[in-house]
Structures are given as structure tokens and as C-alpha cells.
Amino acid sequence: MSNANYRLISLPVIQDIRGSLTPLDFQSQLGFLPKRLFMISDVAPGTIRGEHAHRECIQALHGVQGRIKIIIDDGRQIHEVMLENANSILVLPAMNWATIKFLDEHSRLVVYASETYSESDYLRNYSEFINLLNIGVSSGVQ
Amino acid sequence: MSNANYRLISLPVIQDIRGSLTPLDFQSQLGFLPKRLFMISDVAPGTIRGEHAHRECIQALHGVQGRIKIIIDDGRQIHEVMLENANSILVLPAMNWATIKFLDEHSRLVVYASETYSESDYLRNYSEFINLLNIGVSSGVQ
């Protein structure tokens, strides 16, 4: 059983002589309305960020510039997703340990979050993350 | 009297050795929660887009790449705002006629909107826009 129920969404692109327009309806396409975003930029190629999970917060990762590799650890399996164009968005449910590797100069990642910022929602200790997953399994929550 | 109550918000940037993180809390910083976004890209330098107003929808314009000039017409005055770094966001209330000029190659604009898409919210005829503003003045709505 895996809880890696992430989704990689390809956004439609409307092209005309004035350029490309990419629309996104948050509720119907991502399944949530974002309360905040954060943007990560000025990252040296090869830099690793993330390396935490969230207890409740759902996130949608939008690589608006450069190639960005997302490594998703659900406690059982590792999954890799490459964000390499701005028309893809990765929806990442809570309780996935995510590692973000920036591959290109001038990469820029925008993350939309279902919750306002709360440090207590962050799981920064991998053992604690695994323990919480195991409690979930034993209590039938998963 | 002017209804050009737009706001240009400078986002804080948290810098460390892994790069820059720019957080944004939608409700407290923009004054609304977005229900959708659209991204405009692949635009030839000099291209004009926009040229319409919205009856109800509030928008926040985020120039994530390149220099983008926003010309705001409130029916009485013209205001120009330059988006030239990804740490600025322009909050544009309803009933402003906006023209968007993309100045650089590879520019990319993300717009967050307070409402889901509705064609009836768009005012694409300038005379109709002015007439609606005048009705607002005469009835004391403004």
C-alpha cells in the first residue's frame, strides 16, 4: 500500500498571436484553494531544499523556470517527478517527505499551500515522520 | 476622485545559502483568496495584452520573469506600474481598465483572481466601462 497519491497535472495552454495563456482553476484542478504561496529562487544548480513533510497541508508545486526534480518518499517507496515546464503542476498531499533538487541556473519554483503558515505542521525529523506513518497504519487511518 | 486604488506590494525575501524564499499569505497581504490563476508566457517583446476591465473580480499581477508594464485607467487618470522583479505584486481592484505591455523576451506573468472564470465579468468595450463608471458616480456608488 502506498500513500503516494500525488498527481502531476498538465495544464491546458491557449495559444494565439499574442502568446500563450495557461489557466488554472484551483478547486476543480488542484482540489483545494490556496491560502498562501512561497516562491523559491536564486538557487545554485545542484542545491537541495525541502527535506520535510507536512502533517495536514496540501501543496501544489509549480516549476515556472528551469528543471526541478522532486523526490517523494511516502515511507515505503521513493518516487521522482521532474518539473521541466511551466505547464505542469505537482499536487502533493500531506504526509509525503519531499526533497527538491534544483538543476538549472535561474530556476524558480512556486508552491501553493492549502493552509496558512504554521511551523507545527512541519515534520522536519524523518524518524518522527516514519513513526507517524506507522501509527497511521496500526490504527487503520491509512 | 479616483478609484485607482491599486496597491504595489513588495514581498519580503528570506535569503540563505540555499537561495531565496519569498512567502505570500493571500488574505492578509492581498486581501483575498484566489480561486484561479492564469499565466501568460511566450509573448513577443512589445506585445500588448489585457485591454479590458472586470466588474467584480480582483486580480493580483505577479511578474515572475522579465519587465512588464501595467497601464491602469480608472476612467479619470492613467497610472503606469512597472513589474520588474518577482518580489512585487500589483493588486488591481475591479473597475480598472488594464493594458499589459510585455517588454522582454521570455517574460512570464502570473495573475491570481478572486473569482472563478466568468465571461460576463469581463468588460471588453471601453465605452461600456466608462458608462458603468458614470452610473456609479451619479448613483453615489463611488
Side-chain angles (χ1 to χ4, degrees):
Chain A
M1 189 188 67
S2 166
N3 70 336
N5 47 351
Y6 65 85
R7 290 185 298 137
L8 184 63
I9 297 172
S10 289
L11 303 177
V13 182
I14 301 164
Q15 289 177 308
D16 66 23
I17 195 170
R18 300 166 307 153
S20 301
L21 187 144
T22 307
L24 170 66
D25 184 90
F26 286 116
Q27 188 64 56
S28 64
Q29 288 172 270
L30 301 189
F32 69 90
L33 292 178
K35 292 183 179 165
R36 68 180 165 117
L37 68 76
F38 54 91
M39 182 176 66
I40 299 172
S41 52
D42 302 328
V43 181
T47 297
I48 302 281
R49 298 193 63 128
E51 300 188 292
H52 60 258
H54 288 273
R55 294 175 192 268
E56 303 282 349
C57 188
I58 310 165
Q59 297 192 323
L61 288 74
H62 188 193
V64 296
Q65 191 80 19
R67 288 171 309 136
I68 301 165
K69 186 191 283 185
I70 315 295
I71 301 121
I72 304 163
D73 180 347
D74 63 10
R76 306 202 172 210
Q77 283 185 297
I78 308 287
H79 308 258
E80 282 193 3
V81 174
M82 187 75 94
L83 298 176
E84 50 195 339
N85 76 70
N87 299 319
S88 296
I89 289 194
L90 173 67
V91 179
L92 192 64
M95 293 307 286
N96 282 291
W97 187 271
T99 301
I100 302 169
K101 186 165 186 179
F102 292 81
L103 302 180
D104 293 333
E105 197 111 35
H106 307 303
S107 293
R108 198 183 292 277
L109 176 69
V110 177
V111 179
Y112 309 105
S114 67
E115 309 298 330
T116 56
Y117 176 77
S118 169
E119 183 56 34
S120 63
D121 187 64
Y122 284 71
L123 292 167
R124 300 186 188 277
N125 180 297
Y126 187 77
S127 301
E128 185 185 4
F129 163 67
I130 294 294
N131 286 341
L132 280 171
L133 281 179
N134 288 336
I135 292 168
V137 169
S138 63
S139 66
V141 169
Q142 289 191 328
Chain B
M1 190 187 67
S2 166
N3 69 337
N5 46 350
Y6 65 84
R7 291 186 297 138
L8 185 63
I9 297 171
S10 289
L11 303 177
V13 182
I14 301 165
Q15 290 177 309
D16 66 22
I17 196 170
R18 301 166 306 154
S20 300
L21 187 144
T22 307
L24 170 66
D25 183 89
F26 286 116
Q27 187 64 56
S28 65
Q29 288 172 271
L30 302 189
F32 69 90
L33 292 178
K35 292 184 179 163
R36 67 180 166 119
L37 67 76
F38 54 92
M39 181 176 67
I40 299 172
S41 52
D42 303 328
V43 181
T47 297
I48 302 282
R49 297 192 63 129
E51 301 187 292
H52 60 258
H54 287 273
R55 294 175 191 268
E56 303 281 348
C57 188
I58 309 165
Q59 297 192 322
L61 287 74
H62 188 194
V64 297
Q65 191 78 20
R67 289 171 308 137
I68 300 164
K69 186 190 283 185
I70 316 295
I71 301 120
I72 304 162
D73 179 349
D74 63 9
R76 305 201 175 213
Q77 283 185 297
I78 308 287
H79 309 259
E80 283 192 3
V81 175
M82 186 76 93
L83 298 176
E84 51 195 339
N85 76 70
N87 299 319
S88 296
I89 289 194
L90 173 67
V91 179
L92 192 64
M95 293 305 288
N96 283 290
W97 187 270
T99 301
I100 303 170
K101 186 166 186 179
F102 293 80
L103 302 180
D104 293 333
E105 196 111 36
H106 306 304
S107 293
R108 199 184 292 277
L109 176 69
V110 177
V111 179
Y112 309 105
S114 67
E115 310 298 332
T116 56
Y117 176 77
S118 168
E119 183 56 35
S120 63
D121 188 63
Y122 284 71
L123 293 167
R124 299 187 188 277
N125 181 297
Y126 186 77
S127 301
E128 185 185 4
F129 163 67
I130 294 295
N131 285 341
L132 281 170
L133 281 179
N134 287 338
I135 292 167
V137 169
S138 63
S139 66
V141 169
Q142 286 192 329

